[in-house]
Amino acid sequence: MESKFATLQNIPEALRPKSVLAPRGRDLALTMEDIRKAGINFPLIAKPDIGYRGFLVKKMDTPDQLRAYLSLYPIDFIIQEYLDYPEELGLLYYRLPNADKGKISSLTLKDFLHVVGDGQSTVLELIESTPRALLQLEKLQETHWQVFKNVPTAGERVGLGVIGNHSKGTQFINGNRYIDAQLQATFDRIATKIPGFSYGRFDIKCTNLEDLKQGKNFKIIELNGVCSEPTHIYDQSLSNYFSALGTIMQHWTIVRRVAAANHRGGAAYTSEPQMIRLLGGLRDYHRKIKAALKIE
């Protein structure tokens, strides 16, 4: 139930994409004016201010498409510039309060949903013969129907997604082997510029990993908190389920250490009534979405 937009404002402006908040019920004309003033052009990305797993995140190509989308759901949205960087990754970092240095504990590379041409099959036929793409066929019929009849050349890669989430068909690849001292130092510098930050996953768009290590040509599109997962565990080559559970438990232990250190510094723990209210708010939020989906 945390505001992604509020969290985004804590990231240095030079490191985050142009973004505006579109509160529910606000005059759409005012929102369009905010978008113009922010220098955000179409296509752009619309995402719920409170969301997870790519829920309702969508690329918008035209103003009419955006207006229709915002008017459908009674929730706050973030409007964000579309970053045409070729790479996206998730980087989980933690640093105990008052420590000089932290640690990158997970690095996930993302391979967006795609099919590869054979010189004979249409895009639709390639989707139907690619299990990962076939799972997304219903959504692709809405977003990529215009390329279904195309016949890609042999070896040609046809992109079918721009949202880097597992539930959208993106494949997660364990990139922990690329974590080195240079990447660590870059994110030590970034993390110290974010007030109160001790643990979370950076979702990043960049030109390539080497540029990211040098701290250039990248943007942080989201910063997720203690609910962040070490998403490298979803790499299909890491098939040991219990090892994945162990990795999650290790990160829960880190969260406990961070929380205890903050508590010793005067931060209050979330009380049981507060937690119940948060869970109740999440339930009500879902009810709003479900009611809107029935209209759709």
Side-chain angles (χ1 to χ4, degrees), residues 57 69 77 88 107 121 154 157 163 178 189 205 242 250 255 269 296:
V57 179
Y69 201 62
F77 271 89
E88 182 171 331
L107 180 64
S121 305
R157 178 183 170 116
I163 308 301
Y178 298 115
R189 290 193 298 270
K205 285 271 196 179
F242 293 102
Q250 290 170 7
V255 169
Y269 288 131
E296 188 181 29

Side-chain angles (χ1 to χ4, degrees), residues 69-83:
Y69 201 62
L70 295 181
S71 63
L72 181 59
Y73 299 100
I75 59 175
D76 297 345
F77 271 89
I78 299 173
I79 310 302
Q80 200 167 77
E81 68 173 318
Y82 173 65
L83 299 170

Side-chain angles (χ1 to χ4, degrees), residues 2 91-93 197 199-203 223-231 248 251-252 255:
E2 299 167 340
L91 185 149
L92 203 155
Y93 172 98
F197 175 69
Y199 179 101
R201 190 186 68 242
F202 295 90
D203 290 342
L223 175 56
N224 301 283
V226 295
C227 290
S228 303
E229 296 170 298
T231 50
I248 291 175
H251 283 79
W252 283 356
V255 169

Side-chain angles (χ1 to χ4, degrees), residues 35 84-85 114 136 194 213 218 223 248:
I35 292 171
D84 196 21
Y85 287 127
H114 68 278
Q136 302 291 328
I194 302 174
K213 287 181 178 182
F218 76 96
L223 175 56
I248 291 175

Side-chain angles (χ1 to χ4, degrees), residues 1-18:
M1 297 303 292
E2 299 167 340
S3 166
K4 290 179 180 290
F5 186 77
T7 301
L8 198 62
Q9 304 315 298
N10 290 317
I11 299 171
E13 186 175 2
L15 303 182
R16 64 179 192 252
K18 299 172 185 176

Side-chain angles (χ1 to χ4, degrees), residues 1-2 50 269-286:
M1 297 303 292
E2 299 167 340
I50 298 173
Y269 288 131
T270 301
S271 68
E272 291 178 5
Q274 286 175 316
M275 182 59 68
I276 291 171
R277 284 195 295 271
L278 285 171
L279 293 174
L282 182 61
R283 178 200 59 197
D284 294 341
Y285 184 75
H286 278 282

Side-chain angles (χ1 to χ4, degrees), residues 52 55 74-75 279-294:
Y52 49 87
F55 181 60
I75 59 175
L279 293 174
L282 182 61
R283 178 200 59 197
D284 294 341
Y285 184 75
H286 278 282
R287 285 177 176 172
K288 287 182 181 179
I289 301 298
K290 288 179 179 179
L293 289 173
K294 289 178 182 178

